Amino acid sequence: MNWRAALPAVRGRLLFDEPLAPLTWLRVGGSAEALFLPADEDDLATMLQALPPEVPVTVLGVGSNVIVRDGGVDGLVVRLGGRGFGEIHIEPEENRVTAGAAVLDAALARGAASAGVGGLEFYAGIPGTVGGALTMNAGCYGGETGDWLTVAWGVDRGGARRVFTRADFAYGYRHSQAPADIIWTGAVFQGRPGNRAEIEQSMIAITRRRETTQPIREKTGGSTFKNPPGDSAWRLIDEAGWRGKPFGGAMFSPLHANFLINTGEATAADLEDLGERVRSDVQAKSGVMLDWEIKRIGRRA
């Protein structure tokens, strides 16, 4: 029996054989066997409860740090949208911010700043969503998600709603120990008292620094590899001779050597193969094996 024919009626959008490349910053990759954009948390839970347990589920956020492989993604791909998952609620007296998982990190920073809630301005430099930030302890410029999160909630593979405190995540560098099957739907962040003008100036400085040090107007996936302990991935890539060196339609940026970019018509295989080539060369030169930070999902063609 075709599992797609047995899916329940939903209030959101359910699309079959939907191209995923337009939904990612790198603009590469194949199609989703099924792409589900739930209307709200109840819609998501209904789908997951009915979905046969053997069908894989993949979450796709704003697509800023992912390579979708050329063979496409089997099973159900879930993408949360602004309607139902994109709201921000701020309690300025408590310096508390509640955000849906589809809220852009930069929008979270702006919302907190507008209410004079400090501490979250580092999110202005992260090109992702709250859901992705929860998953990978996203951070930059001295701040990390785990520093400010108090509680988060989501839906597990069986469709049950789950709630987690910050301690449950046991965060490390770009890593969480929360169950991998949770699709995050919202979170609460505890900021600190701040001055709106000062917070906004800090955000402007973060944005300018990012604009001058990162290729944000290219087809990129953000930081490609995690920084190894006590070192920087960009320095090791640069030392191995890969800064700005073409590899078909792919390249590590001349501006920031840890940013993988699609310079033209690269395939997902081109990008991933370049990444693996660089990992190999870095290990040969420095003895360090870099770990991927960009997620790679789906099947190779």
Side-chain angles (χ1 to χ4, degrees), residues 63-84:
S64 59
N65 71 328
V66 64
I67 295 173
V68 176
R69 292 182 172 121
D70 299 307
V73 182
D74 294 333
L76 184 73
V77 176
V78 176
R79 190 171 195 254
L80 306 185
R83 180 175 296 180

Side-chain angles (χ1 to χ4, degrees), residues 28-81:
V28 296
S31 298
E33 194 172 1
L35 175 65
F36 179 42
L37 296 87
D40 52 31
E41 193 176 71
D42 288 340
D43 204 28
L44 175 61
T46 296
M47 171 62 80
L48 294 175
Q49 287 164 4
L51 193 67
E54 67 273 13
V55 177
V57 176
T58 303
V59 181
L60 181 66
V62 75
S64 59
N65 71 328
V66 64
I67 295 173
V68 176
R69 292 182 172 121
D70 299 307
V73 182
D74 294 333
L76 184 73
V77 176
V78 176
R79 190 171 195 254
L80 306 185

